[in-house]
Amino acid sequence: MGAKNLMGSDPIRSFWSFQGSPHRLALAFGLGVALGILPGTGALAAAVCAALLRLNLPLMMAGALLTNPATALLIYPVSFLLGKWLLGERLPTDFLAQIAVGTITGNLILAIVLGAVGYGVALGSIRIFRARYAAGH
């Protein structure tokens, strides 16, 4: 019994193919965006998740790599300010702990929100592309 029979579909094909459902392709991109924003995850976590969930690797990596040194200069300060605003007086009194807790809290919120936005944008784009392609360009 091969991998195709055990998993219900060819795992290699689902890993690289753009022929899957628009939902699964968009999910790969959106989850990649979210993982890219979370500190300490990024490309490695995206590759592992793509393999475990049998999602499209190129789309997952594209989403994860949107967070790079250039975009991180915007993401991390925004994350800190968002976390500080959300936690308010509940932030620790120690300066370094404030930065860590505020940034991690903000990163979690941004990861969820921007991952959902990435999913929506990818889903809409895939549907438009497929509709135009089916209509003969």
Side-chain angles (χ1 to χ4, degrees):
M1 187 182 307
K4 182 174 183 175
N5 293 335
L6 276 175
M7 298 178 151
S9 67
D10 186 351
I12 301 301
R13 182 166 293 158
S14 65
F15 202 53
W16 291 103
S17 174
F18 289 92
Q19 300 303 316
S21 74
H23 163 71
R24 287 192 57 83
L25 293 172
L27 181 62
F29 184 75
L31 187 55
V33 170
L35 289 171
I37 291 171
L38 295 175
T41 57
L44 180 59
V48 170
C49 280
L52 291 174
L53 301 174
R54 292 189 323 223
L55 293 173
N56 182 277
L57 178 64
L59 285 173
M60 183 85 81
M61 295 301 288
L65 294 174
L66 284 176
T67 301
N68 56 59
T71 59
L73 292 173
L74 177 65
I75 289 172
Y76 289 111
V78 169
S79 291
F80 171 70
L81 293 173
L82 177 62
K84 186 177 175 183
W85 177 74
L86 287 171
L87 295 175
E89 298 296 321
R90 293 181 297 258
L91 274 175
T93 56
D94 179 55
F95 178 71
L96 291 178
Q98 279 186 2
I99 292 173
V101 171
T103 302
I104 291 170
T105 302
N107 274 349
L108 288 171
I109 301 301
L110 281 180
I112 292 167
V113 170
L114 294 178
V117 168
Y119 169 82
V121 168
L123 183 63
S125 299
I126 292 163
R127 286 180 175 164
I128 289 169
F129 174 80
R130 285 188 175 175
R132 287 184 181 169
Y133 186 77
H137 307 299

